[in-house]
């Protein structure tokens, strides 16, 4: 296995297209992000090239002249790789490789390679390999070479090494095998999640590098892997956090989102992202100091929608306020996003405000009831304690009036308990 640190840094050109649909300033921002992705993969970008066209050229993505120009530049400067910001078709790759004599890669391929090099657990490795193969299948041509070869990740065993010899049928067989494996893993995971069902579960989501892991660390005091890199986290970390004197939650941190995340990747990361889908409240962390934070919000919202988690109670957490020097701008932002909570995860600014917001969001999910019990039912109170918060007990002659509050998701459990104790639902006095 080749070690990352000793491997020679490869030089690359990144390429973006300005069309009627994507404007120049956007392309510039996309390319900056692509450069950060390349950096994460250990690749140094030495040129940024854009072309303006009405639309993408189906055969070669760019116009022929531009392709020749890039080919010459790559040869002169001994560039090893050209990375395109949009996904390329197999035909485009084939045609581009005829003129540009180095590796051709696109954004999805790069993201998949990064995921492959970062996957550590059995689950993440299986998920990434599946996504890589599904991405590779329609692009399986002799020339298609892949970054992953040089990494010690899944790529070495999977698509990277074998892609040239293995035919499509073998890839398909491997895909079904991986799908089976993932099914088994997801059943295991479901069992584990069930055990956490009695807890209030809060999930951190956000664009990559927004500060999710930093916030988990800040709130839980736990040692969490943090890096100023894209996709530092691929698995789910869960920690206990006290958000008030009496209330503890489970806070989870998982893989971040990015624009144009390969769809196969989202699909295969479903079991990792299930923690988000099943959570009671979502904390959407935003790096508000980023010049394009609004677009990041949009991408995250879209991804949540794809996952079927867009209707969940969500707290918008605007992070990195310590980076905003312009006070007037911060004031304007607070006015515009009055429901968001403004924090600095790193400096620990306004974490108490965030906790209050989480409690508020949970309030909506709470139900309050009153039960009048006779001495023979008193033991029911200790059972209630298991999932409800007892707010008040009023003793009156031979009865006790118990006011309690609980998460709506435990309604079924309450009904069962009442049923077992021979108490009818009508004895509940709703507040
Ligand atoms: N200035 C500043 N930097 C932060 C803050 N929160 C996180 N960061 C930095 O942002 C980078 C990404 O943080 P991380 O928690 O790994 O982001 P994640 O990808 O969302 O998990 C790291 O370099 C953090 O130190 C903050 O409140 N202020
Ligand atoms: Mg992280």
């Amino acid at each position: 296995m080749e070690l990352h640190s000793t491997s020679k840094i490869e030089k690359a050109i990144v390429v973006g297209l300005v069309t009627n649909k994507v404007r120049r300033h956007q392309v510039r921002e996309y390319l900056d992000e692509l450069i950060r992705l390349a950096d994460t993969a250990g690749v140094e970008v030495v040129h940024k090239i854009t072309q303006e066209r009405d639309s993408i050229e189906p055969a070669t993505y760019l116009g022929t002249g531009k392709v020749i120009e890039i080919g010459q530049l790559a040869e002169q400067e001994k560039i090893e790789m050209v990375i395109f910001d949009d996904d390329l078709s197999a035909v485009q790759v084939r045609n581009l490789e005829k003129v540009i004599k180095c590796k051709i890669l696109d954004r999805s391929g790069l993201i998949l390679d990064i995921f492959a090099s970062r996957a550590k657990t059995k689950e993440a490795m299986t998920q990434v390999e599946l996504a890589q193969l599904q991405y590779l299948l329609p692009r399986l041509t002799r020339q298609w070479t892949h970054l992953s070869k040089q990494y010690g990740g899944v790529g070495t065993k999977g698509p990277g090494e074998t892609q040239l010899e293995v035919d499509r049928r073998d890839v398909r067989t491997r895909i079904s095998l991986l799908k089976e494996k993932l099914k088994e893993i997801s059943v295991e995971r479901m069992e584990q999640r069930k055990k956490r069902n009695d807890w209030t579960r809060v999930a951190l989501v956000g664009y990559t590098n927004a500060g999710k892991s930093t916030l988990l660390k800040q709130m839980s005091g736990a040692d969490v892997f943090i890096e100023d890199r894209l996709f530092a986290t691929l698995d789910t970390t869960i920690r206990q956090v006290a958000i008030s004197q009496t209330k503890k939650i489970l806070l989870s941190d998982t893989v971040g989102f990015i624009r144009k995340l390969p769809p196969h990747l989202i699909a295969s990361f479903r079991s990792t992202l299930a923690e988000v889908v099943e959570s009671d409240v979502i904390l959407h962390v935003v790096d508000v100091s980023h010049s394009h934070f609004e677009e990041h919000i949009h991408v995250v919202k879209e991804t949540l929608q794809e996952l079927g988690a867009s209707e969940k109670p969500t707290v918008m957490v605007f992070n990195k306020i310590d980076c905003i020097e312009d006070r007037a701008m911060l004031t304007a932002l607070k006015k515009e996003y009055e429901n968001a909570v403004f924090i600095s995860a790193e400096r620990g600014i306004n974490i108490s405000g965030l906790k209050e917001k989480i409690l508020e969001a949970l309030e909506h999910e709470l139900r309050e009831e009153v039960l009048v019990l006779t001495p023979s039912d008193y033991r029911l109170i200790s059972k209630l304690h298991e999932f409800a918060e007892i707010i008040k007990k009023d003793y009156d002659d031979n009865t006790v009036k118990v006011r309690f509050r609980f998460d709506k998701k435990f309604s079924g459990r309450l009904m069962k308990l009442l049923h077992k104790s021979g108490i009818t639902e009508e004895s509940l006095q709703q507040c």
Side-chain angles (χ1 to χ4, degrees):
M1 191 168 85
E2 208 175 334
L3 282 177
H4 215 137
S5 53
T6 55
S7 60
K8 181 170 125 326
I9 289 190
E10 289 188 276
K11 284 199 288 182
I13 298 175
V14 291
V15 183
L17 200 56
V18 181
T19 60
N20 294 334
K21 286 191 202 121
V22 197
R23 300 228 291 277
R24 182 161 286 280
H25 74 275
Q26 280 176 308
V27 172
R28 210 174 298 140
E29 148 71 5
Y30 294 172
L31 287 186
D32 284 344
E33 190 174 76
L34 195 64
I35 291 171
R36 291 212 57 195
L37 281 167
D39 174 59
T40 302
V43 174
E44 187 197 352
V45 174
V46 289
H47 289 286
K48 222 161 61 163
I49 291 177
T50 54
Q51 186 180 35
E52 241 169 279
R53 292 181 61 85
D54 288 343
S55 59
I56 291 173
E57 167 61 45
T60 46
Y61 181 76
L62 302 168
T64 324
K66 203 71 180 176
V67 177
I68 294 171
E69 191 189 306
I70 293 172
Q72 285 168 349
L73 184 65
E75 202 175 320
Q76 277 162 18
E77 299 198 11
K78 300 201 170 30
I79 304 279
E80 281 125 326
M81 189 181 317
V82 180
I83 312 169
F84 292 78
D85 191 47
D86 290 300
D87 280 355
L88 299 170
S89 68
V91 173
Q92 286 169 342
V93 173
R94 237 188 338 260
N95 289 330
L96 287 167
E97 278 178 337
K98 281 181 196 151
V99 186
I100 304 170
K101 302 288 178 205
C102 65
K103 284 185 216 166
I104 304 287
L105 202 68
D106 59 19
R107 181 183 264 256
S108 285
L110 184 61
I111 293 175
L112 284 166
D113 277 318
I114 294 170
F115 269 66
S117 69
R118 303 219 154 202
K120 298 215 170 52
T121 60
K122 184 176 76 171
E123 183 178 24
M125 284 162 83
T126 314
Q127 289 171 327
V128 175
E129 193 184 349
L130 175 63
Q132 274 189 312
L133 288 176
Q134 284 175 324
Y135 164 83
L136 189 66
L137 192 58
R139 296 173 174 81
L140 210 58
T141 60
R142 278 204 56 77
Q143 289 98 330
W144 184 258
T145 46
H146 222 247
L147 248 189
S148 49
K149 261 197 219 171
Q150 63 181 95
Y151 293 108
V154 183
T156 338
K157 288 172 268 144
E161 275 297 291
T162 47
Q163 60 189 332
L164 297 178
E165 314 99 61
V166 157
D167 64 11
R168 286 202 171 84
R169 210 185 52 205
D170 283 354
V171 172
R172 283 204 187 92
T173 313
R174 180 89 187 134
I175 286 177
S176 356
L177 192 92
L178 289 169
K179 278 187 176 166
E180 280 303 311
K181 246 194 191 174
L182 267 187
K183 242 191 231 158
E184 279 166 34
I185 295 173
S186 82
V187 170
E188 263 171 50
R189 287 273 176 260
M190 209 155 67
E191 292 300 321
Q192 290 169 353
R193 288 199 304 274
K194 257 192 206 153
K195 288 187 197 141
R196 299 196 287 271
N197 245 349
D198 287 356
W199 279 85
T200 300
R201 287 152 68 187
V202 178
L204 290 161
V205 302
Y207 209 73
T208 181
N209 218 48
K212 301 176 294 296
S213 303
T214 309
L215 185 54
L216 179 70
K217 185 175 175 181
Q218 176 64 248
M219 292 183 84
S220 67
D223 199 13
V224 178
F225 181 53
I226 294 161
E227 210 181 354
D228 191 15
R229 288 229 150 158
L230 308 177
F231 303 113
T233 320
L234 276 202
D235 298 296
T236 309
T237 312
I238 300 171
R239 296 281 177 268
Q240 276 184 33
V241 173
I243 53 167
S244 74
Q245 299 248 315
T246 52
K247 183 78 187 163
K248 270 190 186 168
I249 57 158
L250 285 184
L251 186 61
S252 70
D253 171 32
T254 188
V255 53
F257 304 148
I258 196 165
R259 72 169 68 83
K260 300 183 195 167
L261 203 56
H264 293 314
L265 205 59
I266 300 179
S268 50
F269 266 75
R270 257 179 204 282
S271 79
T272 300
L273 292 167
E275 194 59 44
V276 172
V277 180
E278 291 175 9
S279 65
D280 300 297
V281 171
I282 285 175
L283 303 186
H284 179 167
V285 184
V286 180
D287 174 358
V288 73
S289 72
H290 196 287
S291 51
H292 290 75
F293 79 89
E294 276 163 325
E295 203 194 331
H296 293 178
I297 293 177
H298 181 68
V299 171
V300 171
K301 284 190 171 165
E302 260 184 0
T303 316
L304 285 176
Q305 200 155 17
E306 264 175 71
L307 289 168
S310 55
E311 301 296 317
K312 294 229 167 250
T314 302
V315 177
M316 294 299 288
V317 184
F318 281 17
N319 188 30
K320 307 197 189 180
I321 54 163
D322 55 299
C323 292
I324 303 178
E325 276 158 20
D326 184 350
R327 291 282 119 190
M329 187 179 154
L330 192 60
T331 311
L333 279 170
K334 283 182 178 169
K335 213 166 159 194
E336 191 179 348
Y337 296 91
E338 52 181 10
N339 285 324
V341 51
F342 289 74
I343 67 155
S344 166
E346 202 167 71
R347 303 266 181 95
I349 302 171
N350 199 25
I351 302 300
S352 56
L354 170 60
K355 288 181 176 176
E356 268 166 40
K357 278 270 183 197
I358 301 173
L359 278 172
E360 243 173 62
L362 288 170
E363 293 277 311
H364 292 296
E365 302 302 295
L366 293 181
R367 196 174 140 189
E368 211 169 293
E369 302 278 358
V370 172
L371 259 179
V372 181
L373 301 172
T374 56
S376 62
D377 303 322
Y378 278 6
R379 67 200 146 73
L380 193 131
I381 299 176
S382 66
K383 290 270 175 210
L384 273 181
H385 269 295
E386 287 173 12
F387 61 90
E389 184 192 351
I390 312 287
I391 305 165
K392 211 169 165 209
K393 278 189 258 180
D394 288 320
Y395 292 90
D396 184 24
D397 285 340
N398 235 348
T399 60
V400 58
K401 201 171 167 188
V402 186
R403 179 184 286 266
F404 58 101
R405 193 191 288 147
F406 59 101
D407 197 309
K408 278 182 188 148
K409 70 179 176 186
F410 295 127
S411 299
R413 204 160 149 181
L414 174 68
M415 289 312 143
K416 251 193 220 159
L417 184 61
L418 294 182
H419 189 72
K420 258 195 189 160
S421 315
I423 299 171
T424 57
E425 215 174 301
E426 285 71 50
S427 1
L428 287 172
Q429 304 173 3
Q430 280 221 357
C431 311

